[in-house]
Amino acid sequence: MSSHSKAETIAKDIKLLILDVDGVLTDGGIYFDDNGTEHKKFDSQDGCGIKLLELCGVEVAIITARSTRSVAHRLETLGVKNYYHGIKDKGEALKELSEKLSIDLSESAFVGDDVIDLPAMSKVALPIAVANAHSFVKENALMVTEKAGGSGAVREVCDFLLKAQNKYDSLMKSFLK
């Protein structure tokens, strides 16, 4: 993961991780079958990372411009309670989310891939871009994942946060018992 040392310092205090969907939790492709039903590819390790992060007390939320049943279903299976969909102004939704959870933006991270994510990314302490993000988004992020969206980028971020908060090693060891 490409990051500044500042990102590692900030990560220690992150209490809220906000994710975009298309291009972050998915590979960005929008697939339709012959009946017009939309399909998306999610990475199972991303899902595990989200669950592990929440287990360690970090809230996870979703803010996405699109609204699809497949995403709602995936988030429901993961237990993600804070899901904002059909959002045109992600910065405004972020403000509402921060107030709702009583978590300051200085304790928040946002993972995005395209310019529509920048209004939210520019307001949080730790803006993160996935490897396949638009170049302008990468330029405005404090860190960039090695993995692409939909291919383990979210798990990479979750592991990074857990390591920065000194929770990773004991959590991983708990699976060996």
Side-chain angles (χ1 to χ4, degrees), residues 12-75:
K12 293 176 184 176
D13 298 319
I14 295 299
K15 295 179 181 172
L16 172 62
L17 174 65
I18 306 105
L19 306 167
D20 175 40
V21 175
D22 293 320
V24 173
L25 276 171
T26 74
D27 61 5
I30 300 172
Y31 309 93
F32 293 96
D33 64 20
D34 289 342
N35 297 319
T37 303
E38 185 173 327
H39 301 273
K40 295 183 181 288
K41 173 193 165 283
F42 295 93
D43 187 289
S44 62
Q45 289 187 3
D46 286 349
C48 185
I50 289 169
K51 288 182 153 293
L52 293 174
L53 205 57
E54 288 183 327
L55 180 69
C56 289
V58 177
E59 291 278 349
V60 178
I62 305 297
I63 300 177
T64 181
R66 299 189 70 238
S67 183
T68 61
R69 288 181 295 176
S70 59
V71 172
H73 176 74
R74 177 67 175 144
L75 298 177

Side-chain angles (χ1 to χ4, degrees), residues 1 17 19 23-26 41 43 45-46 111-112 128-133 143-160:
M1 181 173 310
L17 174 65
L19 306 167
V24 173
L25 276 171
T26 74
K41 173 193 165 283
D43 187 289
Q45 289 187 3
D46 286 349
V111 184
I128 303 168
V130 293
N132 56 316
M143 61 187 290
V144 178
T145 63
E146 291 178 11
K147 296 188 178 196
S151 297
V154 171
R155 178 60 179 268
E156 187 179 336
V157 170
C158 292
D159 286 353
F160 175 80

Side-chain angles (χ1 to χ4, degrees), residues 91-121:
E92 191 59 36
L94 175 65
K95 181 181 172 193
E96 180 183 319
L97 174 66
S98 173
E99 291 171 2
K100 174 184 171 187
L101 297 176
S102 297
I103 298 175
D104 195 84
L105 295 178
S106 66
E107 302 169 309
S108 302
F110 190 103
V111 184
D113 72 307
D114 213 333
V115 294
I116 192 172
D117 299 317
L118 288 173
M121 290 175 70

Side-chain angles (χ1 to χ4, degrees), residues 139-172:
E139 290 170 19
N140 287 281
L142 279 182
M143 61 187 290
V144 178
T145 63
E146 291 178 11
K147 296 188 178 196
S151 297
V154 171
R155 178 60 179 268
E156 187 179 336
V157 170
C158 292
D159 286 353
F160 175 80
L161 294 174
L162 290 168
K163 287 175 183 176
Q165 296 179 11
N166 294 315
K167 298 174 182 176
Y168 181 84
D169 290 336
S170 62
L171 181 62
M172 292 300 116

